[in-house]
Amino acid sequence: MATENIKLFYNGKFFTGSSQKKEIDKMLVKDKIIKWLGDKSEPLPPVAKKAINIDLKGKRVIPAFIDSHMHGLYLARDSKKIACTPPLINSIAELQQEIKSIAKDLESGQWIEGWGYDESKLAEGRNPTRIDLDQATKDHPVVITRNCTHIAVANSKALELLEIDETTPEPVGGIIEKDEKGRLTGVFKEIGKDFLFDRLPARSIEEDASLLAEFSQVLFSKGITTITDSLARKYPVDYYDIYQEAIKKGLKQQVILYYKWRDLVNYPELPQSAADPASQLSIGGIKIIGDGSIAGRTAWLSKPYLGDSRETGIATTNQAELAAAADFARKNQLQLIVHAMGDKTIDLVTDHFYPEPGWLDEIPSLRIEHITLPSAEALKKAKEIDVAFNSQPIFVYAEIESYLNNFGKERTLKSYPYRDILNQGHELAFSSDAPATAWADPANPFYGIESAVTRKAYDGTNTGQDQSLSVRESIKLYTEVPARITGLKKAGKLEPGYYADFLILDRDILKIAPESIGQTEIEATYYRGEKVYQR
Ligand SMILES: [Zn+2]
């Protein structure tokens, strides 16, 4: 006879995420599912007699996090690369030192990669260039990616191996930067960066799968039980195959992929039963990149960036592409998610789809990701056609220097108007977009929550206090809402019938000073009723 797996968690402070009225202090879990929740006055159900009792010692409990916009594979890969962000790297000189020290342990010709630099945080205040990287090594190919992931820098050895030179034609929508003498600076922007990365030597599926499997535990330590890949590739390798292999190797999180539209154009076949959110790995939708980033001055704006009256960013999509992707999404019953930061791009998307209703019944057909600077008109149209928003409060928190330098103070305060968005009844989720943030711990949800609550950057700069949310709202935006907009069933809340996916915190996030929310640590993570992480 199989022993019954029943657990009674007692003496906790539960934030269930549902419209709870009473002070829940006990939760009964059978196998993977929550069976019952109760307060001090309620008698336990009879089945509790068979339960293993677990004392939560008065700790705060919240639902586990669902990161509905991140780049799981990049994040796992980055765990093996140079983190070019403070506190490790504070200048180009320190970056050069780090490359040198890594290079001396490698055989000549082996690649060195880095991620996460932000020139506004570097002492020199500029992008590193080919020449800077050459000074660190001429024997090893080096590629360093900016925190926005839309810009990268390569050294001469990398360019030589990839056969890119002054005569290489620039791809449409991309920049292969040259200096005034026509020499390559080593900097690649937008589609130019993709052009560079498409030429990098591919890792084997095995290597990537192992990295992801190894990374699973790190994600649990941050309380993340559902991950996404918001720019999954079909080419040169199908990410579906990588994640499938990673799951075999021990990746435990639920995974949702969003395929890059430009890959689907050439490789439109989808894995079988891919859209089934009940399986551990599923295809959630299609991703279009509509513009760049604020930090890279490439988000598409109606008013120019600070310091150059001609600079308004770039559009990296158009009506024809939106129409073609929406058509494919409709036929395959997938969601379409569009990266749109600048007001011009957000307008382009909402104008294009308005006033047509969506094509999905259970979840929003269209999502706008980031939604940095929406116009009032765009918000109004988006509401009428049920567009969901997915945004990252960690961006302005971690990249405040870039926002002030590129947007100026007034526009920074108007960015990410979360209070207005919620008050107008929009569906809004939070996520990390990790590793696309200049923050050494980019996937940590507590920094995002702190930012949304305090509306202050990491250095205390005001980022728009009139738009602040409560801690409860912010947790829901990282748990309940992402479950809803991605179509995850029985997840994101602590309620009978839901999965027992929850976190025990080291401090009471609902009571502490909001400025210290980012410091919150997870004592234990439970996934499907089992403890998967203990501090
Ligand atoms: Zn992203």
Side-chain angles (χ1 to χ4, degrees):
M1 196 185 85
T3 46
E4 282 185 285
N5 184 2
I6 304 170
K7 298 185 186 92
L8 177 69
F9 297 89
Y10 68 99
N11 190 21
K13 288 197 190 85
F14 286 82
F15 173 73
T16 62
S18 58
S19 47
Q20 102 186 40
K21 297 266 171 358
K22 40 192 191 181
E23 285 290 325
I24 301 292
D25 80 326
K26 287 187 275 309
M27 179 168 76
L28 192 72
V29 174
K30 185 170 181 223
D31 300 320
K32 300 174 177 180
I33 304 292
I34 298 167
K35 289 290 166 193
W36 176 90
L37 294 134
D39 66 5
K40 287 215 164 62
S41 65
E42 270 169 291
L44 288 165
V47 67
K49 283 199 205 82
K50 297 187 201 167
I52 302 163
N53 291 327
I54 298 165
D55 185 358
L56 297 172
K57 301 183 174 126
K59 301 269 180 184
R60 175 58 66 186
V61 178
I62 64 171
F65 294 121
I66 292 165
D67 200 334
S68 52
H69 184 135
M70 67 168 358
H71 302 270
L73 182 58
Y74 287 169
L75 197 60
R77 284 179 180 170
D78 282 0
S79 63
K80 303 287 177 191
K81 297 178 189 171
I82 306 173
C84 305
T85 74
L88 183 66
I89 306 284
N90 303 287
S91 64
I92 292 172
E94 285 179 3
L95 175 60
Q96 290 170 324
Q97 274 314 316
E98 186 67 19
I99 293 170
K100 276 184 196 165
S101 77
I102 289 172
K104 70 175 171 13
D105 297 328
L106 296 177
E107 281 173 42
S108 161
Q110 279 191 282
W111 286 78
I112 297 172
E113 291 183 67
W115 67 275
Y117 84 84
D118 172 351
E119 65 285 345
S120 65
K121 290 194 194 321
L122 295 173
E124 295 83 355
R126 61 172 176 84
N127 273 304
T129 65
R130 176 174 65 90
I131 309 290
D132 296 318
L133 302 181
D134 284 352
Q135 284 166 3
T137 178
K138 287 205 161 74
D139 301 329
H140 299 275
V142 181
V143 173
I144 305 290
T145 312
R146 200 177 178 287
N147 70 332
C148 62
T149 73
H150 295 251
I151 297 174
V153 195
N155 73 344
S156 296
K157 188 69 187 177
L159 297 177
E160 179 198 316
L161 292 175
L162 302 176
E163 297 177 352
I164 297 170
D165 62 23
E166 283 80 8
T167 65
T168 305
E170 243 177 23
V172 178
I175 295 168
I176 300 177
E177 198 179 73
K178 289 177 183 148
D179 65 16
E180 60 285 353
K181 293 202 174 115
R183 294 168 305 199
L184 294 177
T185 63
V187 176
F188 294 75
K189 294 186 176 176
E190 303 304 327
I191 310 292
K193 181 250 163 191
D194 297 345
F195 176 85
L196 172 72
F197 271 60
D198 285 347
R199 277 157 189 74
L200 292 182
R203 281 179 196 71
S204 70
I205 290 179
E206 285 283 305
E207 285 172 292
D208 276 336
S210 299
L211 283 174
L212 277 165
E214 203 182 309
F215 201 63
S216 187
Q217 205 49 38
V218 179
L219 291 161
F220 278 142
S221 76
K222 298 178 196 306
I224 301 166
T225 53
T226 297
I227 62 168
T228 46
D229 214 302
S230 299
L231 198 61
R233 303 295 309 264
K234 288 289 282 185
Y235 172 88
V237 183
D238 193 329
Y239 277 23
Y240 192 85
D241 298 336
I242 297 174
Y243 278 94
Q244 210 168 30
E245 189 61 28
I247 287 167
K248 281 188 206 147
K249 287 179 183 292
L251 173 68
K252 298 222 174 57
Q253 275 76 8
Q254 179 109 24
V255 186
I256 308 170
L257 306 183
Y258 297 86
Y259 275 126
K260 179 177 178 169
W261 169 243
R262 289 192 188 170
D263 282 7
L264 282 178
V265 171
N266 298 316
Y267 305 92
E269 322 71 44
L270 293 170
Q272 274 194 335
S273 71
D276 178 11
S279 64
Q280 191 185 344
L281 173 61
S282 65
I283 307 299
I286 302 170
K287 169 80 170 288
I288 282 187
I289 308 238
D291 61 355
S293 70
I294 310 311
R297 297 170 77 93
T298 44
W300 190 32
L301 303 176
S302 58
K303 296 202 181 74
Y305 286 94
L306 232 55
D308 186 336
S309 62
R310 294 156 307 171
E311 224 182 326
T312 54
I314 37 178
T316 53
T317 191
N318 54 45
Q319 302 265 4
E321 187 177 61
L322 290 171
D327 191 46
F328 185 96
R330 181 178 290 110
K331 283 192 184 117
N332 291 283
Q333 286 295 290
L334 294 170
Q335 198 170 47
L336 179 62
I337 72 172
V338 186
H339 166 123
M341 299 191 92
D343 54 345
K344 288 283 271 186
T345 308
I346 298 167
D347 282 342
L348 173 76
V349 176
T350 49
D351 288 348
H352 177 86
F353 288 98
Y354 187 84
E356 292 291 314
W359 51 89
L360 300 177
D361 295 331
E362 301 211 344
I363 57 172
S365 304
L366 181 65
R367 265 165 52 185
I368 295 180
E369 309 294 285
H370 314 310
I371 192 95
T372 307
L373 209 59
S375 66
E377 184 68 18
L379 288 179
K380 202 165 145 274
K381 285 182 174 163
K383 184 76 190 69
E384 284 183 45
I385 56 171
D386 286 328
V387 179
F389 300 141
N390 192 359
S391 193
Q392 298 74 28
I394 194 172
F395 279 1
V396 68
Y397 178 86
E399 300 170 24
I400 184 64
E401 300 89 346
S402 297
Y403 279 76
L404 294 176
N405 289 340
N406 299 335
F407 261 12
K409 193 173 165 206
E410 198 187 321
R411 224 171 352 180
T412 297
L413 293 174
K414 286 202 180 112
S415 301
Y416 305 110
Y418 298 143
R419 182 79 269 156
D420 293 349
I421 287 174
L422 287 191
N423 287 353
Q424 289 169 24
H426 294 274
E427 192 82 299
L428 169 69
F430 283 161
S431 51
S432 72
D433 202 13
T437 318
W439 196 250
D441 188 8
N444 185 330
F446 293 110
Y447 293 109
I449 293 172
E450 179 183 318
S451 170
V453 173
T454 63
R455 292 297 294 214
K456 283 181 192 166
Y458 77 95
D459 64 355
T461 306
N462 174 15
T463 60
Q465 322 251 282
D466 58 324
Q467 296 297 327
S468 73
L469 306 186
S470 72
V471 181
R472 285 164 203 271
E473 284 172 318
S474 303
I475 295 173
K476 285 187 180 194
L477 266 50
Y478 234 120
T479 53
E480 180 191 328
V481 184
R484 205 157 57 218
I485 67 166
T486 59
L488 282 178
K489 298 274 187 282
K490 303 189 284 188
K493 280 196 265 191
L494 304 179
E495 267 186 19
Y498 275 63
Y499 285 122
D501 301 348
F502 60 96
L503 313 173
I504 301 167
L505 307 182
D506 74 334
R507 63 198 78 188
D508 188 353
I509 189 173
L510 297 179
K511 300 257 166 68
I512 56 173
E515 286 75 12
S516 67
I517 292 172
Q519 315 300 314
T520 306
E521 299 248 13
I522 288 165
E523 294 269 317
T525 301
Y526 279 81
Y527 183 54
R528 307 282 149 101
E530 297 299 326
K531 193 196 279 180
V532 289
Y533 168 76
Q534 170 77 55
R535 188 157 75 126

